[in-house]
Amino acid sequence: MEQDGSVVTLDAEILQPLPDKMADYLSAISNIHERLNCFLDRHVLDAAMNAKQGQQVFVELDHQTFSGTICYIGKVHRSPLPSGLCPVYFGVELQGDGEGKGHCDGTYNGTEYFKCKKDCGLFLPCNKLQFVSAPEKGMAKQEGNPDAVGASPVKVGDTIGFYLDDAFMRGIAMDVFKEEKTWMVKVCPEEEGSEDVFRVIPMDSVVKEELLSPGFEVDADSGIQDQPKRKRSESAEDLESKSPSLDVNSVVRINLDKGNSVTGTICWIGCLPENRQKMAGVELDEDKGVSDGELQGVRYFTCPPKRGLFVRLESCQPDMRFQSISHTSPESTELSGLDAPAVLSNSPPLRDDVAVNVLEGRMKGIQGHCNSCYMDAALFSLFSCTSVLDSMLFKPSLPPDGHVQNILRDKIVNPLRQKGFVAASNVMDLRHQLTEKGECSSFATSEKDPEEFLNLIMHHILGIEPLLKLQSGRLKEQECYCYQIFMDKQEDLVVPNVQQLVEHSFLSSDLKLVEIPSCFILQMPRFGKEYKMFSKIIPSLELDITDLLLDSPRECFVCGAVATQECSACFKDKMFADTGLKQYCDSCCTQAHSHYQRKAHQLTKLHIPEEFCRVSRLGSLRVPREKLELFAVLCIETSHYVSFVKYGPEKENWMFFDSMADRHGDEDGFNIPTVTLCPEVAKYLEMPVATLAMQQPRDMEGVAKRLFCDAYMYMYQSKKMALYK
C-alpha cells in the first residue's frame, strides 16, 4: 500500500486495471471514498476524460448550482506526487450568478493557469463538476456557421489586416472561435511590443492577405515591407525550395511581431482542411501558444496547454543556436560549441588529474537547453568519471533502439570523455528520440525527474537488467532501477548520513538486497522538489550493505562472531550505537535480552550459508564486509538540477557541474555549462555532526551548501560487481 508501505493480500478477481490517464484524474480527489465511487461510476470519469477547454459545466457551491466554463485542464503544481501521479484539476471560470463566488483569478500558488475576473476562478477535481453534454468543438462550429470550418474566410496561420484605433495594422491569425453568436479571430499584431501580443477581433473586421493592397508584402520575419508581391506563377514547390529544409523535430524560431519571437519544436507538418498552404504544428518552449496540439476539434499532436501553435511552415526559421558553423560566426561557434559531430572512438571514464584537465572550466560538461538540466546532471554523473553503467553503451540492442544507444554513446558519452563538452543539440537529439519511444510527449521541452528519464532509457528502451533485486519478508522478489527511501520522521536523526537513512528505510519496510548491486541509486526522502524531510544530509562516502543482504553471513555486533539472530527493536534502542543493524551470536543475544527492558523483543533467526558454517568451524573467520563507493550526487534547488561527482580517491576530489551556470546573449543566446572543483566539501565531511548541524547554509563555503542541503539522488557503485554486470 502506497500510503503506509504495508503489504496486504487480495483476491485477484476484485482488482481492476487502472490506466495512467485515469489514475491522474482520480488522484486529484482527496477523499478516498469519493475517489472509489468515481472510479466505479464511470459516467463522471468518462465525461471528465473527454472534456475540453471551453466546455460548459455546473458547479455546486454552498448548496447552490452555478454555471461555468472550463478554462484549464491539467496539474496545478510543479512536480508529481511521490507515486509518480500527476493529479488533473479543472480550472473553471464561474459565470452568471456565480461571479464573485470563486477563490482566484486563474492563478494558483503564484502561477497563472488561465485568466478570468477576480474571485471568479476555481480549481476543482472532476467529481465536483457536472459536465454538460455538447457536440465536439469542431462540430459545434460547423452547426453554428457552416462557413466557419473548411470554407472559413480566415484560418489559423493566415496573415490578415485590421483597423485598431483608426490605424491599419497587420498580423497573424492565431485562433478562430465563437464568442456567444459572433465569430472572433485571435490575432498577433506584427507591430506591437511584447507587452500586448494578442488581440481578439470580430471576424467581420479583418481582411485576408490576398485582399490587401498589392503594393505591400507581409514578410513573416520582419513585418511590413514596401516591395512587390511574389509573382503568382511561382509554385509552392519553388517557394519551398527557397526556404530552409525543415521537418518534424526541427528546432525553430517564429517571429510573431516586431521584436517578439518564440522558439519551439515542430511536431506536425501538413495541410489543414481547405488550406493548401503547408502548415507546421509547433510545441513552444514557453507558454505563449494557444492550444495543446488540437485545432478546431481535431488533434494533430499533443503538448502541454498553451504550448501549441499552428503557423505557416514558411514562417518557421531554423533556430540559429542549433546551426552548423556555416551559419554562425567563428567567435559564436567557439563559445557555443554547437557544431558537435559524433565521436565514434570509445573512451574510458576520466579520473584524477586527467578528469580535471579535460572537464574543469567554462563551456565544459553538457550544455543545457530548454529544461534539460535533469538529463544533463544525470548523464554527467553516470558517465563522466565511472564505467559502472557502460553496459548501456555497448549492450546489443534491437534495431529500433540502436539509434538511441548510438546517440548516447557517440554524441554524448564519447565527446564528454574526450573533449569535456557535449553540445545542447546532441542532447536534444536524444530527447526527441525519448519523446518518440516513451508515452510522454514532452521529453524534448518539459522538465522531468531524473528517475523518470533513467527508468525510460534503462528499462523501456535499452532493456538492461534491473540494478536492484529486493525482497520483503518472504514475498516475491522485486526488481527496480532506483530505490526511494521511505521513512517516518525520526526525531533523533537531526543531521543523518546516508548509511542511517538506508538502514532505517530497509528495516521499516522489512527489505533485503537479494544480491550485491553493481550500481545502487538512492532517492532521498522528500515530497516532490520542495519539501525536504531533513535540512542537511551527510554523504556517506562508503555504504556498508553487509547487513542489508539476504541470506548472507553477518557478524555479531557485540563480539564479532557469526551472528544467528537479528533484533529490529534493538536497532532503535538508544543504549546501542546509532548506526548498524543489530544482530547477535547466540550467547550475546541471550545476554543482551536478559535486561528487563529487552525481554519482550521479537527476534528473527538468520540464515547462515552451510559453506560458511563449515569454514568458520575450522578457525576464527571474520565475516567479510560488503561496501559500495559513492561516485555522484544529484541535487535540486528551485527546480534546477546540478550534480557533484567524485573524480578521485581523496576527500577533496569533488567537482561541481551546472549545465546552465551562465548564459551568452538573451533569447538568441545559449547556456554556458561550467565544471568547477569544490575541495571545500572535505572540510564539512570531517566536521563533527553537532558542528555541521549548527552551520548556517548561507555561511558554508563555495557550493558545499548545495551538496549537504539539496541532495536529491545518491549514486553508489561496486567496482567488484561492475566487472560481471
Side-chain angles (χ1 to χ4, degrees), residues 160 162 164 168-174 185-194 196-201 218 223-224 255-260:
I160 58 176
F162 58 95
L164 186 65
F168 183 77
M169 303 184 68
R170 303 195 186 204
I172 298 175
M174 312 296 287
V185 182
K186 191 171 188 177
V187 184
C188 180
E190 295 188 349
E191 291 191 348
E192 294 198 5
S194 58
D196 191 10
V197 178
F198 298 118
R199 295 279 186 178
V200 177
I201 300 170
V218 178
I224 301 177
N255 293 315
L256 297 178
D257 65 351
K258 208 170 194 177
N260 192 322

Side-chain angles (χ1 to χ4, degrees), residues 334-388:
E334 182 179 354
L335 272 175
S336 66
L338 296 179
D339 185 30
V343 177
L344 301 181
S345 58
N346 298 319
S347 303
L350 304 169
R351 296 292 294 171
D352 304 316
D353 293 340
V354 177
V356 175
N357 294 334
V358 175
L359 292 173
E360 184 190 14
R362 283 169 57 85
M363 218 62 193
K364 292 290 187 178
I366 301 175
Q367 185 180 33
H369 170 68
C370 189
N371 299 317
S372 67
C373 60
Y374 71 96
M375 189 178 295
D376 306 329
L379 290 171
F380 187 87
S381 300
L382 289 174
F383 294 108
S384 60
C385 298
T386 179
S387 61
V388 68

Side-chain angles (χ1 to χ4, degrees), residues 267 283 292 301-304 431 434-436 438-446 448:
C267 298
E283 180 176 350
D292 61 353
F301 64 97
T302 302
C303 69
R431 296 174 75 185
L434 296 180
T435 298
E436 293 179 7
E439 297 180 359
C440 180
S441 63
S442 54
F443 259 100
T445 54
S446 300
K448 304 292 180 186

Side-chain angles (χ1 to χ4, degrees), residues 46 87 104 132 169 276 390-391 417 481 513 523 551 573 584 626 661 692:
D46 290 342
C104 66
V132 180
M169 303 184 68
R276 296 183 179 180
D390 276 14
S391 59
R417 292 176 176 178
Y481 294 86
L513 290 166
Q523 293 174 242
D551 294 342
D573 195 319
Y584 306 88
E626 297 293 347
L692 181 61

Side-chain angles (χ1 to χ4, degrees), residues 321-322 363 365-373 376 421-425 427-428 431 640 657-663 670-673:
R321 293 171 293 175
F322 293 90
M363 218 62 193
I366 301 175
Q367 185 180 33
H369 170 68
C370 189
N371 299 317
S372 67
C373 60
D376 306 329
F421 175 77
V422 179
S425 55
V427 180
M428 187 60 74
R431 296 174 75 185
H640 180 59
F657 165 63
D658 186 346
S659 65
M660 304 178 183
D662 201 356
R663 187 166 179 84
F670 49 83
N671 291 309
I672 298 177

Side-chain angles (χ1 to χ4, degrees), residues 538-704:
I538 303 173
S540 299
L541 299 183
E542 284 188 332
L543 187 65
D544 191 332
I545 61 169
T546 309
D547 299 336
L548 305 178
L549 291 169
L550 179 69
D551 294 342
S552 178
R554 296 158 65 177
E555 67 177 23
C556 173
F557 97 101
V558 178
C559 68
V562 178
T564 58
Q565 303 282 343
E566 181 184 58
C567 182
S568 59
C570 284
F571 177 75
K572 305 172 184 177
D573 195 319
K574 298 185 182 301
M575 290 294 294
F576 299 124
D578 57 0
T579 302
L581 301 182
K582 304 302 181 285
Q583 59 271 333
Y584 306 88
C585 64
D586 289 335
S587 59
C588 290
C589 184
T590 301
Q591 184 174 358
H593 290 88
S594 63
H595 192 283
Y596 72 93
Q597 289 184 342
R598 290 188 285 274
K599 283 186 176 181
H601 287 187
Q602 298 295 316
L603 302 173
T604 302
K605 187 174 180 61
L606 297 176
H607 176 265
I608 306 172
E610 183 60 33
E611 297 81 0
F612 190 83
C613 292
R614 286 198 300 267
V615 177
S616 63
R617 294 190 196 102
L618 301 177
S620 57
L621 181 65
R622 297 298 300 271
V623 174
R625 308 302 299 179
E626 297 293 347
K627 297 181 179 181
L628 306 181
E629 171 187 281
L630 178 65
F631 68 86
V633 184
L634 260 67
C635 301
I636 183 171
E637 182 183 29
T638 60
S639 296
H640 180 59
Y641 289 94
V642 296
S643 70
F644 289 82
V645 170
K646 193 82 165 51
Y647 67 87
E650 304 301 326
K651 286 188 175 182
E652 295 82 10
N653 294 159
W654 286 90
M655 58 176 53
F656 171 74
F657 165 63
D658 186 346
S659 65
M660 304 178 183
D662 201 356
R663 187 166 179 84
H664 176 79
D666 298 320
E667 285 192 9
D668 295 324
F670 49 83
N671 291 309
I672 298 177
T674 304
V675 178
T676 55
L677 302 185
C678 46
E680 67 271 12
V681 167
K683 168 184 174 181
Y684 298 98
L685 287 173
E686 295 171 344
M687 274 186 181
V689 175
T691 305
L692 181 61
M694 296 299 292
Q695 285 285 319
Q696 292 296 322
R698 63 177 179 273
D699 297 332
M700 298 178 75
E701 295 178 17
V703 293

Side-chain angles (χ1 to χ4, degrees), residues 131-380:
F131 296 87
V132 180
S133 299
E136 288 294 316
K137 184 178 179 182
M139 295 298 294
K141 289 185 176 182
Q142 290 178 4
E143 293 173 6
N145 184 348
D147 295 329
V149 179
S152 171
V154 175
K155 300 181 180 65
V156 173
D158 286 346
T159 300
I160 58 176
F162 58 95
Y163 280 93
L164 186 65
D165 298 330
D166 295 328
F168 183 77
M169 303 184 68
R170 303 195 186 204
I172 298 175
M174 312 296 287
D175 193 14
V176 179
F177 60 95
K178 193 172 184 180
E179 192 172 271
E180 295 182 352
K181 296 184 178 181
T182 305
W183 286 92
M184 310 295 288
V185 182
K186 191 171 188 177
V187 184
C188 180
E190 295 188 349
E191 291 191 348
E192 294 198 5
S194 58
E195 293 183 359
D196 191 10
V197 178
F198 298 118
R199 295 279 186 178
V200 177
I201 300 170
M203 186 177 292
D204 294 341
S205 302
V206 303
V207 183
K208 286 191 67 173
E209 177 183 20
E210 53 261 34
L211 301 179
L212 298 176
S213 171
F216 292 87
E217 169 68 5
V218 178
D219 186 277
D221 298 326
S222 55
I224 301 177
Q225 296 180 0
D226 189 0
Q227 62 181 14
K229 297 191 74 172
R230 295 188 181 97
K231 294 180 180 179
R232 295 295 176 185
S233 59
E234 278 187 58
S235 65
E237 290 77 8
D238 294 333
L239 294 176
E240 191 174 320
S241 65
K242 294 180 181 181
S243 65
S245 177
L246 296 174
D247 204 342
V248 173
N249 290 334
S250 293
V251 182
V252 296
R253 178 176 295 279
I254 304 165
N255 293 315
L256 297 178
D257 65 351
K258 208 170 194 177
N260 192 322
S261 64
V262 292
T263 58
T265 304
I266 295 179
C267 298
W268 171 85
I269 293 178
C271 294
L272 296 172
E274 300 299 326
N275 190 334
R276 296 183 179 180
Q277 288 182 318
K278 187 167 282 190
M279 304 291 291
V282 182
E283 180 176 350
L284 301 180
D285 296 340
E286 301 177 81
D287 294 342
K288 293 184 177 180
V290 295
S291 76
D292 61 353
E294 181 180 297
L295 180 65
Q296 296 178 348
V298 178
R299 179 164 298 285
Y300 295 91
F301 64 97
T302 302
C303 69
K306 298 184 181 180
R307 288 285 184 94
L309 191 64
F310 290 88
V311 296
R312 291 177 299 170
L313 183 61
E314 62 187 66
S315 298
C316 301
Q317 298 297 321
D319 191 335
M320 297 307 292
R321 293 171 293 175
F322 293 90
Q323 299 311 299
S324 64
I325 190 171
S326 61
H327 294 90
T328 53
S329 66
E331 295 81 5
S332 176
T333 302
E334 182 179 354
L335 272 175
S336 66
L338 296 179
D339 185 30
V343 177
L344 301 181
S345 58
N346 298 319
S347 303
L350 304 169
R351 296 292 294 171
D352 304 316
D353 293 340
V354 177
V356 175
N357 294 334
V358 175
L359 292 173
E360 184 190 14
R362 283 169 57 85
M363 218 62 193
K364 292 290 187 178
I366 301 175
Q367 185 180 33
H369 170 68
C370 189
N371 299 317
S372 67
C373 60
Y374 71 96
M375 189 178 295
D376 306 329
L379 290 171
F380 187 87

Side-chain angles (χ1 to χ4, degrees), residues 467-587:
L467 301 178
L468 297 176
K469 295 183 179 180
L470 303 169
Q471 188 163 315
S472 177
R474 293 298 169 181
L475 298 178
K476 185 179 178 181
E477 183 180 301
Q478 307 170 47
E479 297 180 336
C480 57
Y481 294 86
C482 304
Y483 176 72
Q484 170 72 62
I485 290 180
F486 290 106
M487 57 183 295
D488 297 327
K489 180 70 174 179
Q490 304 291 326
E491 299 299 334
D492 54 334
L493 290 180
V494 180
V495 183
N497 57 40
V498 178
Q499 181 80 43
Q500 292 171 317
L501 296 180
V502 174
E503 290 174 349
H504 275 83
S505 180
F506 267 61
L507 193 69
S508 62
S509 302
D510 191 22
L511 283 176
K512 293 293 182 186
L513 290 166
V514 176
E515 62 183 26
I516 301 171
S518 60
C519 184
F520 195 3
I521 300 177
L522 292 163
Q523 293 174 242
M524 291 299 100
R526 56 192 299 154
F527 184 84
K529 301 181 181 71
E530 283 76 28
Y531 172 72
K532 297 183 291 187
M533 182 173 284
F534 301 99
S535 59
K536 294 189 187 78
I537 297 175
I538 303 173
S540 299
L541 299 183
E542 284 188 332
L543 187 65
D544 191 332
I545 61 169
T546 309
D547 299 336
L548 305 178
L549 291 169
L550 179 69
D551 294 342
S552 178
R554 296 158 65 177
E555 67 177 23
C556 173
F557 97 101
V558 178
C559 68
V562 178
T564 58
Q565 303 282 343
E566 181 184 58
C567 182
S568 59
C570 284
F571 177 75
K572 305 172 184 177
D573 195 319
K574 298 185 182 301
M575 290 294 294
F576 299 124
D578 57 0
T579 302
L581 301 182
K582 304 302 181 285
Q583 59 271 333
Y584 306 88
C585 64
D586 289 335
S587 59

